[in-house]
Each structure stands twice: as C-alpha cells, then as structure tokens.
Amino acid sequence: MRLRSRLFLLALLATPAIGRVSGAQDATPRAAGTTGITISGVVHDSIAHVPLAGAAVQLVPAEAGRAGFSASSDSLGRFTIAGVAAGRYTIGFFHPMLDSLGLQPPLREVVVAGDKPVRADLGIPSAARLRTAICGPGSARDSGGVVVGVLRDAHDGAAIAKGSVAGEWLEMSFTVGGVSRRVPRLVVNTAENGWFALCNVPSGGTMALVGSRGNDSTDRIDVEVPAEGFLRRDLYVGTIRMLAARDTTHQADTMPVVQRRLRAGDGRLTGTVVAVAGGKPLAGAQVSILEGPVTRANDRGEWTIADAPSGTRVLEVRAVGYYPERRRVDVVDGAPPIRLALSTLKAMLDTVKITASRLRGGDLSGFENRRKTGIGDFLGQEDIAKRGARNTSDIFRQISGLHIVGAEPDRTLSMRNCAPTVYLDGFILPENLSIDEIDGLVLPQDIKGMEVYKGPATPGQFQQRMTGCGAVVIWTK
C-alpha cells in the first residue's frame, strides 16, 4: 500500500474546490479603526460532523518579506483575521486531529482585493474521501472501513515508530452446509510519526484492537467502527509488569487471550460512581483496571486508583444490585476524572426483555432446531422445573462440564478451565460476571430454555468473544 505518497495528497482533499477565494461576501463587519480587509470562516470536522474548536489558523502572504497572520477557532469553529492588505495569500490550519489522521496541513489560496470581506472556510475531509485516499479507490466501492490513529508512549505522549497495531473481528457466513466462522486478523507497523491505518475492516461493526511495542502492549479493547466506515483511535502503550500470565487461547488464528495479573504501575485515575436513576453515589462500588489494581468508592462515590498500570486499559466497575460496566480508558498524565453511571440489574433485564421481545419467537424456534442437532446440552421449561432449583446457579451445578469456582462473593462460572460466554435472551453478558450477579438477573421459574455448548461445538452466533471456550445461552419466558 502506497500510504506515504497518498498522505501528501490529502491536503488536496481538504476543501471542495482547490483554488482561489476572492471577494466572497461575508456578514462579518470590519473592525472599527482597522485598515485592510477581514478574512473569516469556519473550521469544520467533516468526520465527526461538528465545528473544529482550537484550530490554529495561519494566513501566509505569497510575497516574501511580508508578515503573516494567525488566529484560533472558537468553540463553534469560527475564526476572524482583520487588517489584511490586498494581495495573494495561503491559508491553512493546524490541529492535533490532523496528526492523528496522518494529514499534512490543508492549504488553499486566498486573493484579497477590493473592499469586501472574504469568506474562507476550512475543514478536515469527509470520511469517504479519507478512506479512499488512505486505502485506495477500491474502498469507495465496498463496505470496508478504516481505523487510523497514532501509537503513543503513555508516559510522555511521544509517537512510537515501528510499533505494531493488530485488529481482528468475527465473520460468519451462512451456507447450505451450515454456519462457518472466521476471525480475520490485520497487523500493521506504525510509521516514523507513530501513525497507523487498518484498512478493509468491517463498517458498522465491532472489532478488537491491541497496540504493542516489543513486550509492552495495550489491553485488548473493543471499538465500534461507524457505519460510514472511518474511526480514529489513538492507543497508548505503557510498560507491562505481570505477577503471572497464562495463555488460554484455544485457536491459533486469534490474538492471544491471556489470564494475567498486572503489577501496580505509576499511573493515576480518579472518578465517581453513581446510579443512573437519581444520580445517587454508589458507596463501596468496586473499581478496577482489568486484571490489575482494585479500589472502592467512598461515601460520595469517589474513587482513586493511584497505582494504575499506564497505557490504554479496560476499567471495570461493579456494585451489588447493579449491572457491571467496562470502559476503555487511557492511563496517562493529566487524565480527566471519569464519571461512571450504573443501571440496576432489574432495569437492565427489563430493557433486555423489551428490546428482545420481537425477536424472541424466532430465537425459540432456533432453540428447537439446534436441540434437534444433538450438539450441546438443552434444558426446556419442564426439564428445569423437575430440577427444583432455587437459584439459576443450582441448574449450572447439575450440568456436566459446568463448574462454579472461587469464594463468595466472587464465585464465577467455569468450563474447561476457562470462562464461558453467557447470553440472556440473545444479549451478551459481561465477562466474568459473578454467580451472584447471574442469580440476580434471572430466576429458574423465569427460564423457558437453556443451551450449553463446550468449545468448538459452539454455534457461530454464540462465539462473539472468540475465546473458543464455550457458551451458556438462557432464554426467558
């Protein structure tokens, strides 16, 4: 891919028409007591479809020896340069987003003549034009997207040259012979300025990203690629120090899934945990870096992890009676406070029932069809009633291959020495959900059917996490 040569062409895409701007009528009046013409405009982010604030706009005269002008765009992307004498100029802007996109500063020519104000709007190109410029003309004809960004050092923000970024996603194909499953994987090296681009990734879908430098890496994070097919996401790499690590990968074609325990680092994160309903502080909520340091919120819902491992990480928060949440965070100097709002288990379950109600009939039909294949363990409503279970976890204990491990209140479900993915009415539940939390989500008398799959026998639609471990699928009445 000729990325480097294409990047220099991106400056030519930044405006709808490259050429001169002269004498365009503008409503901005000339400042009192100022000689010369006023040039104004708006800097627009065509990717996020919002004005671009904080852009450093520069106006440079074509004639050598003459002084230039500068201005900064406000919160609405507006800028004004007053007192400009007649002549030819080049106008452009700088912004951190240009660096993340691998763009040269977009430039255009401005001709100042007469006594009318000049309008000169500037902008970052649209997602479609950027995708075509970065990945080639073919990207404009298919549904493939692109993920771009800069790989940075978590300690000083410096770009990392010759690092690597890997991305993977799940693809399922429905054929006469059944459902086939594939996990495409892309690995790219970063340029000298730390820039990277992953082309032909799925648009409007979820994929996993990992950035690395030598033995150090980010956490594996999930990102959503917008339907328009362009995503910008910088990644921060910090030094990883592990107490222990165990590779639990069951498939050679996927990024490693490692059970590890991170040592305390030198980063710092702060924030608050509240309830979605009413904003009540959740005292005692557990907040942790995934597989790393753990803390608890105080009476005001405030928390601090003073020894967080630096870099792009996954933050997990849990509170009794509330649905757990995971969030991507960048543990870097000056990281802003993080506000976390949790929904109750009942509210989340009600939402699942509402959103899944129209699909449940089709899903239960699929349940019966899958049961006829003889692959997996299936329990119908009558089977569950015969077991006399008080809690859903009592049903798990009676299924071969399922185990409950750990001590209260952190007991978890285990299968083949790994954690199976749990689905409730087609909704994928968070990883490592505790047994108590599963019992709080659904009662045995509310279950209409349950499917249990082990390892490679798991149908493709229940392998969203790509762990190869297995799945427990629960359908409610």
Side-chain angles (χ1 to χ4, degrees):
M1 183 186 300
R2 298 170 59 189
L3 286 177
R4 188 176 297 277
S5 62
R6 290 195 183 109
L7 292 180
F8 291 100
L9 297 178
L10 291 177
L12 303 177
L13 300 173
T15 57
I18 301 301
R20 62 182 62 177
V21 178
S22 59
Q25 186 66 41
D26 186 88
T28 305
R30 189 184 305 180
T34 301
T35 60
I37 300 300
T38 296
I39 297 177
S40 63
V42 174
V43 185
H44 192 73
D45 180 354
S46 300
I47 298 173
H49 306 292
V50 295
L52 190 64
V57 180
Q58 294 189 352
L59 183 72
V60 180
E63 182 180 340
R66 294 177 58 188
F69 301 82
S70 62
S72 181
S73 63
D74 62 16
S75 60
L76 298 177
R78 301 172 301 190
F79 70 90
T80 300
I81 299 175
V84 181
R88 293 178 180 272
Y89 297 84
T90 298
I91 192 170
F93 70 94
F94 296 91
H95 192 274
M97 182 173 285
L98 294 176
D99 297 331
S100 292
L101 295 174
L103 285 172
Q104 299 293 320
L107 307 174
R108 64 189 302 180
E109 185 183 54
V110 175
V111 177
V112 177
D115 59 357
K116 293 183 178 181
V118 174
R119 177 78 180 222
D121 290 335
L122 302 169
I124 293 174
S126 67
R129 301 180 75 180
L130 281 171
R131 191 172 66 244
T132 300
I134 294 172
C135 298
S139 64
R141 298 190 295 269
D142 59 35
S143 59
V146 59
V147 177
V148 303
V150 175
L151 189 66
R152 301 183 181 277
D153 187 291
H155 295 96
D156 58 10
I160 297 176
K162 299 180 180 179
S164 67
V165 176
E168 67 177 29
W169 60 94
L170 176 64
E171 285 186 357
M172 291 187 296
S173 301
F174 296 88
T175 64
V176 176
V179 179
S180 63
R181 172 184 178 279
R182 191 170 73 93
V183 183
R185 186 169 188 254
L186 290 177
V187 180
V188 297
N189 294 324
T190 60
E192 292 298 323
N193 60 356
W195 188 80
F196 67 87
L198 293 168
C199 290
N200 300 317
V201 302
S203 296
T206 302
M207 65 177 298
L209 292 180
V210 173
S212 60
R213 173 185 55 187
N215 294 325
D216 296 328
S217 69
T218 67
D219 279 352
R220 175 191 170 110
I221 64 169
D222 290 335
V223 296
E224 296 287 336
V225 182
E228 61 185 8
F230 192 95
L231 174 68
R232 180 182 69 92
R233 183 63 166 91
D234 288 357
L235 300 172
Y236 293 83
V237 176
T239 302
I240 290 182
R241 292 174 292 175
M242 292 185 292
L243 294 174
R246 181 168 60 89
D247 187 351
T248 62
T249 301
H250 295 288
Q251 301 171 43
D253 60 344
T254 62
M255 288 188 287
V257 178
V258 177
Q259 296 284 351
R260 63 184 183 180
R261 186 68 183 175
L262 299 177
R263 288 184 182 274
D266 55 3
R268 180 183 176 87
L269 280 182
T270 63
T272 55
V273 184
V274 300
V276 168
K280 178 187 72 174
L282 296 182
Q286 177 180 293
V287 183
S288 65
I289 297 293
L290 193 62
E291 300 156 348
V294 180
T295 190
R296 291 193 178 274
N298 62 20
D299 291 342
R300 296 184 297 275
E302 301 168 340
W303 55 269
T304 297
I305 300 179
D307 52 358
S310 58
T312 299
R313 305 293 170 208
V314 177
L315 188 71
E316 182 176 65
V317 57
R318 294 171 178 264
V320 176
Y322 290 83
Y323 195 78
E325 180 179 329
R326 286 185 176 181
R327 180 178 299 186
R328 301 185 304 272
V329 294
D330 295 322
V331 183
V332 296
D333 289 344
I338 300 169
R339 187 177 188 273
L340 300 159
L342 303 186
S343 296
T344 63
L345 294 172
K346 181 180 183 303
M348 182 61 70
L349 183 57
D350 288 343
T351 301
V352 171
K353 288 181 178 179
I354 291 171
T355 58
S357 59
R358 289 177 297 176
L359 300 176
R360 187 168 296 140
D363 288 334
L364 288 177
S365 174
F367 173 89
E368 296 299 337
N369 290 336
R370 289 188 293 273
R371 173 148 61 175
K372 293 176 183 177
T373 66
I375 300 175
D377 295 312
F378 290 80
L379 297 177
Q381 191 170 341
E382 293 182 358
D383 301 319
I384 292 172
K386 291 177 180 177
R387 297 181 179 237
R390 297 179 56 187
N391 298 305
T392 300
S393 56
D394 296 332
I395 303 174
F396 297 155
R397 290 188 178 94
Q398 301 176 48
I399 298 177
S400 174
L402 278 183
H403 307 281
I404 295 175
V405 298
E408 293 186 1
D410 298 320
R411 298 177 303 159
T412 58
L413 195 59
S414 176
M415 176 190 294
R416 301 167 65 239
N417 296 319
C418 58
T421 304
V422 181
Y423 293 81
L424 180 60
D425 290 332
F427 183 85
I428 188 169
L429 300 183
E431 294 180 71
N432 299 322
L433 202 66
S434 75
I435 288 297
D436 291 341
E437 289 167 330
I438 295 176
D439 284 340
L441 275 174
V442 60
L443 297 173
Q445 57 266 33
D446 295 327
I447 299 175
K448 191 168 186 178
M450 182 182 295
E451 310 171 46
V452 178
Y453 300 98
K454 304 176 182 67
T458 307
Q461 65 265 44
F462 302 131
Q463 297 191 38
Q464 295 181 39
R465 290 216 171 98
M466 303 175 287
T467 64
C469 181
V472 175
V473 184
I474 303 171
W475 304 108
T476 61
K477 300 175 184 178

